[in-house]
Every structure is written in C-alpha cells, then in structure tokens.
Amino acid sequence: MTGGAKKVHWNSIHFVTSAQNKEQYPKLNASSGKPLVEVAFVGRSNVGKSSLINDVFEVKNLAKTSATPGKTQLINFFQIDDALAVIDLPGYGYAKVPFELKKAWGKNIQDYLERSSELSLIFHLLDIRHMPTNDDLAFFEWATFHKKKTTIIFTKVDKLKPNEKVQNAKKILSVLSNNDIEWLYYSTKTHEGQKEVRAILSKVINGTY
Ligand SMILES: Nc1nc2c(ncn2[C@@H]2O[C@H](COP(=O)(O)OP(=O)(O)OP(=O)(O)O)[C@@H](O)[C@H]2O)c(=O)[nH]1
Ligand SMILES: [Mg+2]
C-alpha cells in the first residue's frame, strides 16, 4: 500500500489450523506473497487467552474457551484480514511440575517461539488478581533473555475494584525485572483494553510498535 499506514478492518477473521509440531505449522502469506506478521498470546492456563482473542476480534468461540484449565493443547493459528496471524498457545502451568519450557509446556511450543522469524510480538497475559507464579516469571525471563518483544496484559480486571486493580498492577510490575515494559488492563466483560490491543496490533502490522 502506498502513501500511508495499512488499515486493518478487523472484519475478516478466521481459524486457519491447529498444529502440534513444526511440520504442521502453516505458512501464512499475505496476498502480496510476503509472510504475515505474527502475534502470539501466552500465559498460564485459564488466564483468559482464548477469551481475550474472541473479545478483541468480537467473535464468539473463534478460540475455544473453557472453565477447565488446559483446554487449548494445540497451537492454534488465526488470520486477520490480509494482515496478521494470531497464535493462541496452550497455557503453561496446568501440570504440577517445576517450570521447564520443555517439560511443563512442550518442546513444540518452545520451538515455535524460538523459530518464528515472523513473530513480532508476544502478549504475555497475567491474572491481575494474583502475583506472578514461578512459571510466569520463568516465561517472562525466557522472553527477555531471547529478546522477544513482549507486552503484558493484566486480565480479568473486572474482578477487582479500581483501586485494587492499580495496586495489584504496581505490585506485579515491581517483581518483573524489566523497567520499561509495556502493559495494559483487559476485561472481556467490560471490553476495557480492546481498543488498546487493536491499536497495538495496527502498529505491529505497520512495523511501528
Ligand atoms: N470475569 C472475567 N472472566 C474471564 C475473563 N477472561 C476470561 N475469563 C474466564 O476465565 C476462564 C478461562 O478463560 P480461557 O479464555 O478459556 O483461558 P485460557 O487462557 O485460554 O485457558 P487455556 O486454554 O486452558 O490455557 C473462562 O471461564 C472465562 O470465562 C475476564 O476478563 N473477566
Ligand atoms: Mg485457551
């Protein structure tokens, strides 16, 4: 597109495929032939990844949600317009084992995160009600170490009073050993954060985030 930023319409959204390993990853290209920009949603099981994806794109059950942790066991790929690939990763932390990417979460997911040259952003979701678990911290450190651009999303903020929300965010951010981390609040009940996530995705697509 010439003369300005690529406009995202958010109206063509579809599920592409589920994959378990490298061989099954789809090659997602725009109609220009260039690979699509990829954004991944990562976090503890039950933190609200699938719900958030559905809410951001205003589709019911695009990504399957569940009250039972561990619902999403496959890497799910979605395509938005001619612009973006969205990846819903299985939640970590449902197995009660010490965090080790390979053990607790599957080598395939680590492979995906390390391999993808198109992966432009990781949204790391943390439940605003709880301090980060060791798994959360380990993932955050892993992403920092591997220089993966990461933005924190505090989920389920409707469950707290406004002042608790602010206090909890402060506390959680203070234990993440990274000072200039970008973050935002989200609620799928009130849609707080929806505009911000869309704005970030537009920037990612245009290479300005
Ligand atoms: N009140 C409230 N509940 C939420 C919110 N987001 C998600 N939930 C609930 O949290 C539960 C888990 O949501 P999912 O979206 O399935 O979580 P997930 O991270 O995809 O879980 P896995 O696929 O198991 O890793 C569901 O019962 C959702 O309805 C929110 O913003 N507010
Ligand atoms: Mg899920």
Side-chain angles (χ1 to χ4, degrees), residues 92 124 132-142 175-177:
Y92 52 74
H124 186 191
T133 62
N134 288 339
D135 288 349
D136 289 326
L137 294 173
F139 179 76
F140 187 79
E141 278 158 25
W142 179 88
V175 300
L176 300 177
S177 50

Side-chain angles (χ1 to χ4, degrees), residues 197-209:
V197 172
R198 287 182 170 203
I200 291 171
L201 291 174
S202 294
K203 283 189 194 162
V204 170
I205 289 165
N206 286 295
T208 57
Y209 189 64

Side-chain angles (χ1 to χ4, degrees), residues 165-200:
K165 180 175 103 173
V166 173
Q167 279 168 11
N168 280 23
K170 255 192 207 154
K171 273 193 223 155
I172 296 169
L173 288 166
S174 73
V175 300
L176 300 177
S177 50
N178 186 331
N179 296 324
D180 50 16
I181 186 81
E182 313 240 12
W183 61 274
L184 59 113
Y185 296 122
Y186 209 99
S187 165
T188 60
K189 294 274 188 282
T190 66
H191 313 295
E192 177 173 359
Q194 188 201 46
K195 278 206 191 89
E196 285 93 330
V197 172
R198 287 182 170 203
I200 291 171

Side-chain angles (χ1 to χ4, degrees), residues 43-52 64-72 88-92 155-159 186-189:
R44 191 142 43 96
S45 191
N46 213 41
V47 70
K49 297 176 293 298
S50 301
S51 306
L52 193 145
K64 295 219 169 40
T65 64
S66 161
T68 317
K71 177 84 185 174
T72 313
D88 185 12
L89 288 170
Y92 52 74
T155 64
K156 310 192 187 184
V157 299
D158 56 278
K159 293 196 182 235
Y186 209 99
S187 165
T188 60
K189 294 274 188 282

